Amino acid sequence: MKKTTTLLFLCSFLAFKSHAQQVVMRDPAIAAMIAEISPDSLRSHIDKLVSFGTRHTMSTVTDPKRGIGASRQWVLSRFNEFAKQSGGRMTATIDTWTLQPDGRRVDVAQEIGNVMATLKGTDPNDDRIFMVSGHIDSRVTDVNNRESNAPGANDDGSGTAAVIELARVMSKHSFPATIIFVTVSGEEQGLLGANHLAERAVTEKWNLEALLNNDIMGSNHSPDTRIIDNTKIRVFSEGLSGFETDKRAAGVRQYGAENDGKARTLARYVKEIGERYVDNLEIKLIYRNDRYLRGGDHTPFVNRDFAAVRITEMNENFNNQHQDLRTEKGVEYGDYAKNMDFEYLRKNTCVNLASLANLAKAPAMPQNVTLEARNLTNTTSLFWQAPKAGKVKGYYVLMRETNWPFWQKKFFTDKNGLTLPYSKDNYFFAVQTVGEDGHESLPVLPRPSMR
């Protein structure tokens, strides 16, 4: 019996060694798309957004040159123009509805709308959706002031411009899965557009696997700390899902999975893929859903159990956010385009492109991923089933120490299971599908199997 056990372990170890970590290379097609992202193009998008004077959610929807209505129509026109180069795969629309007064930030009934461009996936068997967002509305100091000029160049012209630029470049290419580019309204009035869209995703049963929300991502300096740095960007992610937390708490506590919710798993993916393709940029994982005293459009999706993160600049300049346009004691306040770094915005937009393209090109996630937990062993055995869609080359088993923030090792196999000579007590594991061209799905953490 002892010899048999030793032999089985040796065979397992040799199998593990034979599936050594592969060198992960950049996909030339994704690299070529990234090369198309232009700081000058991003600047032109923002200059046009600023030209509408204000994009306050409650501003005019009938003036052809000023206000939220005119800005939404312009974004729609850009999406429709890009659709012409998509071979019929991209369509665009404004999803509109009427806000009712709430006694706080909505004082009269108002038409509101999210501008959406859908790049349909080419695989009819693949219903996955990946979404990227920024909010089109802007504001000054008084959140209910709809009349004063509110340039909103960085908050959130930067995120909106990134979405427009991504649609411009990616519409010329095809992906097995669907990508939605959306500029939401009503963020400053309480995440209204994002709540509407997240609820729509639930009601219509979208297979939404990931949302990348971009908000305040185009400036690189902080006046209070005097730090100027365009080599870092933050990705905010929640560890515990706000969805049915009470029902999941026991399992999370038992297996120590409080750091591995859907949002945080997505954040680790964005870091790995973003840094793979974008030079001279470090993606900082911030283990919070959002910043102090603020909120973002990813939160309504997190609260409905979707994987969603917020991408935002490293050093915010609060003199340029939510400010009346003025100069006091030699300090100029206001969210102007002249305060932005468009090369920095280019890099941050490229992080989005790399992540979206890699996800949409990859097969779907593996199904029924389990970790054998019946016996006390110093090895770890994982099993899974093939994904619902996509052409599969194999699978990566990911591993990290329990106190480590991101995955440390990848082991490739073309089987539907793998035994590693590492204790399940000492490491976290996950499995992701690998496509024929090397694109990886989102990782799936295993469910302990006692049978």
Side-chain angles (χ1 to χ4, degrees), residues 267-338:
R268 293 188 182 102
Y269 188 97
V270 171
K271 177 177 176 63
E272 178 184 350
I273 304 302
E275 291 180 354
R276 180 186 302 174
Y277 284 94
V278 184
D279 296 327
N280 196 29
L281 187 69
E282 179 185 4
I283 299 172
K284 306 291 289 187
L285 300 181
I286 307 299
Y287 285 176
R288 289 193 172 97
N289 182 58
D290 215 318
R291 301 102 71 236
Y292 279 97
L293 306 177
R294 309 295 281 275
D297 287 319
H298 59 301
T299 300
F301 292 87
V302 172
N303 290 344
R304 290 169 172 82
D305 202 33
F306 295 111
V309 297
R310 177 194 178 113
I311 299 173
T312 219
E313 65 199 28
M314 194 67 199
N315 302 294
E316 295 181 68
N317 188 333
F318 299 108
N319 293 342
N320 300 333
Q321 295 178 22
H322 300 181
Q323 296 287 351
D324 291 337
L325 308 183
R326 68 195 192 281
T327 299
E328 292 181 357
K329 298 180 180 179
V331 177
E332 186 177 43
Y333 295 85
D335 192 355
Y336 299 106
K338 65 183 179 181

Side-chain angles (χ1 to χ4, degrees), residues 83 262 266 285 297 403:
K262 289 183 179 180
L266 173 59
L285 300 181
D297 287 319
N403 66 333

Side-chain angles (χ1 to χ4, degrees), residues 242-256:
F243 181 79
E244 296 184 346
T245 304
D246 54 338
K247 297 180 182 179
R248 303 177 179 186
V252 169
R253 290 185 63 197
Q254 182 175 0
Y255 300 110

Side-chain angles (χ1 to χ4, degrees), residues 232-426:
K232 297 181 179 66
I233 188 170
R234 295 178 291 176
V235 177
F236 285 83
S237 64
E238 182 172 310
L240 293 174
S241 172
F243 181 79
E244 296 184 346
T245 304
D246 54 338
K247 297 180 182 179
R248 303 177 179 186
V252 169
R253 290 185 63 197
Q254 182 175 0
Y255 300 110
E258 63 273 8
N259 198 21
D260 286 275
K262 289 183 179 180
R264 200 148 292 169
T265 299
L266 173 59
R268 293 188 182 102
Y269 188 97
V270 171
K271 177 177 176 63
E272 178 184 350
I273 304 302
E275 291 180 354
R276 180 186 302 174
Y277 284 94
V278 184
D279 296 327
N280 196 29
L281 187 69
E282 179 185 4
I283 299 172
K284 306 291 289 187
L285 300 181
I286 307 299
Y287 285 176
R288 289 193 172 97
N289 182 58
D290 215 318
R291 301 102 71 236
Y292 279 97
L293 306 177
R294 309 295 281 275
D297 287 319
H298 59 301
T299 300
F301 292 87
V302 172
N303 290 344
R304 290 169 172 82
D305 202 33
F306 295 111
V309 297
R310 177 194 178 113
I311 299 173
T312 219
E313 65 199 28
M314 194 67 199
N315 302 294
E316 295 181 68
N317 188 333
F318 299 108
N319 293 342
N320 300 333
Q321 295 178 22
H322 300 181
Q323 296 287 351
D324 291 337
L325 308 183
R326 68 195 192 281
T327 299
E328 292 181 357
K329 298 180 180 179
V331 177
E332 186 177 43
Y333 295 85
D335 192 355
Y336 299 106
K338 65 183 179 181
N339 298 321
M340 297 177 63
D341 178 340
F342 289 95
E343 170 57 17
Y344 181 56
L345 179 55
R346 181 198 68 81
K347 291 194 291 186
N348 298 340
T349 304
C350 290
V351 168
N352 283 265
L353 191 151
S355 302
L356 287 169
N358 208 68
L359 285 166
K361 282 174 170 277
M365 292 182 285
Q367 301 183 85
N368 301 320
V369 181
T370 59
L371 180 150
E372 194 278 306
R374 292 172 298 173
N375 301 303
L376 299 176
T377 66
N378 287 310
T379 62
T380 299
S381 295
L382 298 111
F383 304 94
W384 56 87
Q385 295 175 351
K388 292 182 178 179
K391 297 179 180 180
V392 177
K393 175 182 179 181
Y395 304 89
Y396 280 130
V397 174
L398 311 182
M399 186 181 82
R400 76 176 197 273
E401 295 171 88
T402 60
N403 66 333
W404 205 254
F406 40 83
W407 301 110
Q408 295 169 292
K409 294 181 182 292
K410 283 191 171 191
F411 307 107
F412 180 80
T413 180
D414 57 4
K415 310 301 183 189
N416 286 76
L418 188 63
T419 296
L420 300 175
Y422 296 95
S423 170
K424 56 184 169 289
D425 295 326
N426 300 338

